[in-house]
């Protein structure tokens, strides 16, 4: 399976072809209103497709506090020195010029009875359909000794932008022969930015700038996605630098002290120079405030991404509990198109196509050394279910690994154009 920018955008255009909006189903207040909270791979895509494919028959408002969106996918490549921070930053200007009302503010409440969203600035926005795509937040107390007030000393860098820049600055300031520690998250977690690609990119940076430095990974899991590929890559490219400690060796018994810059693994205290703490994750806070979560995530119906709690509220991407798809930007973008088609159909009576989903997650291990895993999915009554999949193999040729990396670059250009126009 090969994906490039033209293929990615072409598939999106084909899916949207012939979807002219018929008579609008308004409820006595003019155009039907869709409010989207969160301007990432899920939210921006949904807002853009609903505005575009309804031919302005639906009023679409996107609520996003940041004026510049930094993609979590490819943020590890910034840490590794393959990208500049500007390369992963995107503005909302083109989206706004395409008919989406972009409001830069925080959504702080949802009244599902009144069908309104409250903003930190004091405004209240009414909706007929509400789409929530707020990404992830962190489970309080997930890592002993760490909370969000510690993120300057021990950054998570799992919300790209300033946290990515902070972690990169800390890497650059590491003393010669210093120690970088990562506390990896339990399943399920947002990926990308995958923890193990991040280990690879940190190792790449250190190999070129601080070759006697060490990397310790404390992992609460006994295994992880693409494990054989990463371990092969670490052995081939960063021999002796990476010490991965899984749950079988105490990686699930970890505490940190941000003031002392120590990490304690299974009772053993280690002084570190940089510590990347990636805690357990949960749905973005607004999903919880809207009352559509059950535990850490928001259960949804696979056919259209509507929540189990409310048919007029939809949850996309990382925050959703949908079945077999990983919490990736590709997944969120794929789910957003299904959701946009369903929402537009519900509000305008236009044709709704059967839900189909796909995902690919690429990772860079070293220069021109890319690997990938992916699958196609279908909607069942129970969940989004995996149909078939693929994964890179160990021992692949340098030519194939380079082609895989180049494919990821084409996908990045395609998905960001698909999100923002």
């Amino acid at each position: 399976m090969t994906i490039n920018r033209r293929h990615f955008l072409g598939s999106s255009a084909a899916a949207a072809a012939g979807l002219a909006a018929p008579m609008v189903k308004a409820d006595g207040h003019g155009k039907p209103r869709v409010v989207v909270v969160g301007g990432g791979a899920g939210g921006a895509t949904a807002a853009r497709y609903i505005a575009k494919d309804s031919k302005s028959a639906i009023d679409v408002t996107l609520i996003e506090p940041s004026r510049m969106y930094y993609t979590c996918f490819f943020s590890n490549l910034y840490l590794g020195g393959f990208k500049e921070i500007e390369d992963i930053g995107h503005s909302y200007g083109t989206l706004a010029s395409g008919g989406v009302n972009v409001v830069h503010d925080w959504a702080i409440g949802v009244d599902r009875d009144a069908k309104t969203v409250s903003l930190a600035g004091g405004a209240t926005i009414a909706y007929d359909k509400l789409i929530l795509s707020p990404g992830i937040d962190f489970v309080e107390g997930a890592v002993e000794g760490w909370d969000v007030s510690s993120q300057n000393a021990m950054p998570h860098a799992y919300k790209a932008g300033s946290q990515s820049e902070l972690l990169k600055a800390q890497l650059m300031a590491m003393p010669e022969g210093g120690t970088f520690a990562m506390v990896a998250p339990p399943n399920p977690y947002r990926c990308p930015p995958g923890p193990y690609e991040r280990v690879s990119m940190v190792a790449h940076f250190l190999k070129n700038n601080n070759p006697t430095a060490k990397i310790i990974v404390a992992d609460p899991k006994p295994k992880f996605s693409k494990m054989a590929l990463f371990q092969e890559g670490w052995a081939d490219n960063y021999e002796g630098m990476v010490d991965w400690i899984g749950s079988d060796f105490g990686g699930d018994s970890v505490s940190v002290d941000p003031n002392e810059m120590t990490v304690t693994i299974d009772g053993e205290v280690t002084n570190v120079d940089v510590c990347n703490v990636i805690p357990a994750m949960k749905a973005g806070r607004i999903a919880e405030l809207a009352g559509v979560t059950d535990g850490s995530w928001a259960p949804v119906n696979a056919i259209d991404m509507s929540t189990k709690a409310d048919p007029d509220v939809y949850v996309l991407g990382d925050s959703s509990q949908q079945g077999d798809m990983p919490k990736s930007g590709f997944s969120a973008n794929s789910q957003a198109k299904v959701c946009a088609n369903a929402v537009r159909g519900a509000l305008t009576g236009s044709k709704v196509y059967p839900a189909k989903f796909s995902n690919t997650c690429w990772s860079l291990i070293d220069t021109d050394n890319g690997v990938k895993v992916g699958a196609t999915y279908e909607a069942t009554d129970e969940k989004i279910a995996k149909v078939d999949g693929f994964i890179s193999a160990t021992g692949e040729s340098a030519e194939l690994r380079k082609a895989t990396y180049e494919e990821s670059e084409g996908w990045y250009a395609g998905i960001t154009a698909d999100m923002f126009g």
Side-chain angles (χ1 to χ4, degrees):
M1 184 182 210
T2 300
I3 296 178
N4 56 35
R5 182 179 188 275
R6 180 176 295 177
H7 179 274
F8 190 86
L9 292 175
S11 299
S12 303
L19 307 186
M23 184 179 296
V24 172
K25 298 178 179 179
D27 292 329
H29 49 59
K31 292 182 182 180
R33 301 160 300 191
V34 172
V35 173
V36 183
V37 178
T45 303
R48 178 172 175 263
Y49 271 76
I50 292 170
K52 175 173 68 72
D53 293 339
S54 72
K55 304 187 186 304
S56 301
I58 299 173
D59 183 82
V60 182
T61 298
L62 175 66
I63 302 168
E64 165 57 48
S66 302
R67 294 183 178 274
M68 184 69 70
Y69 177 77
Y70 293 91
T71 58
C72 279
F73 45 97
F74 271 46
S75 63
N76 285 335
L77 275 63
Y78 163 67
L79 297 176
F82 291 91
K83 300 290 179 185
E84 300 296 329
I85 194 67
E86 294 81 11
D87 295 331
I88 62 170
H90 305 270
S91 73
Y92 292 91
T94 304
L95 200 64
S97 65
V100 177
N101 178 32
V102 181
V103 177
H104 292 297
D105 202 346
W106 288 96
I108 59 170
V110 174
D111 185 331
R112 285 171 29 212
D113 292 330
K115 288 194 168 185
T116 58
V117 178
S118 301
L119 306 185
T124 300
I125 301 179
Y127 68 84
D128 295 297
K129 297 285 189 179
L130 173 62
I131 300 173
L132 303 177
S133 190
I136 51 103
D137 275 325
F138 301 116
V139 175
E140 188 174 348
V143 177
E144 183 181 346
W146 190 96
D147 60 29
V148 290
S149 69
S150 309
Q151 66 182 1
N152 288 339
M154 293 183 169
H156 52 80
Y158 246 64
K159 298 179 181 182
S162 61
Q163 276 277 298
S164 308
E165 292 180 292
L166 174 60
L167 186 56
K168 180 67 174 286
Q170 291 182 351
L171 274 175
M172 296 173 69
M174 273 181 64
E176 185 176 349
T179 300
F180 174 96
M182 172 188 285
V183 179
N187 293 323
Y189 56 86
R190 163 184 279 177
C191 181
Y196 312 101
E197 181 191 53
R198 178 168 294 176
V199 169
S200 305
M201 291 295 91
V202 169
H204 176 84
F205 176 85
L206 294 176
K207 180 179 178 180
N208 290 290
N209 296 277
N210 191 349
T212 59
K214 298 293 183 184
I215 298 172
I216 299 172
V217 184
D219 201 328
K221 305 179 294 297
K223 59 183 180 179
F224 55 85
S225 177
K226 301 193 287 260
M227 185 170 180
L229 294 166
F230 282 114
Q231 291 188 329
E232 175 192 59
W234 297 342
D236 290 347
N237 298 284
Y238 313 115
E239 185 178 3
M241 181 178 280
V242 180
D243 182 14
W244 176 80
I245 304 169
S247 59
D248 293 341
F249 300 95
D252 57 349
S253 178
V254 178
S255 63
V256 298
D257 187 330
N259 294 320
E260 298 296 325
M261 286 302 292
T262 60
V263 177
T264 302
I265 303 172
D266 203 24
E268 182 179 342
V269 181
T270 301
N271 291 298
V272 300
D273 300 289
V274 178
C275 187
N276 175 206
V277 177
I278 309 172
M281 299 171 202
K282 63 179 183 177
R285 174 69 170 154
I286 191 63
E288 184 178 346
L289 293 173
V292 297
T293 56
D294 183 2
S296 293
W297 309 103
V300 298
N301 298 299
I303 194 170
D304 60 0
M305 303 302 293
S306 62
T307 66
K308 302 284 190 179
D310 189 328
D312 291 325
V313 179
Y314 303 73
V315 177
L316 306 178
D318 298 342
S319 286
S320 67
Q321 180 181 307
Q322 37 70 17
D324 295 344
M325 297 188 82
K327 296 184 182 299
S328 73
F330 198 129
S331 293
N333 174 265
S334 181
Q335 294 161 15
K337 294 171 188 175
V338 169
C339 177
N341 182 225
V343 166
R344 185 177 48 77
L347 293 177
T348 68
S350 57
K351 184 174 181 178
V352 177
Y353 290 85
K356 293 182 180 180
F357 307 90
S358 61
N359 174 71
T360 303
C361 286
W362 290 269
S363 299
L364 189 62
I365 295 174
D366 193 22
T367 304
D368 288 334
N369 187 353
V371 295
K372 64 181 178 179
V373 62
T376 58
Y377 306 84
E378 65 181 7
T380 69
D381 291 341
E382 293 78 28
K383 64 178 182 177
I384 296 179
K386 181 178 176 179
V387 176
D388 54 39
F390 57 89
I391 187 170
S392 296
T394 56
E396 289 176 333
S397 68
E399 291 76 16
L400 179 55
R401 291 293 178 86
K402 182 178 181 181
T404 299
Y405 167 64
E406 291 173 345
E407 181 183 271
S408 74
E409 288 278 6
W411 168 79
Y412 186 89
I415 190 174
T416 51
D418 204 42
M419 290 162 60
F420 300 108

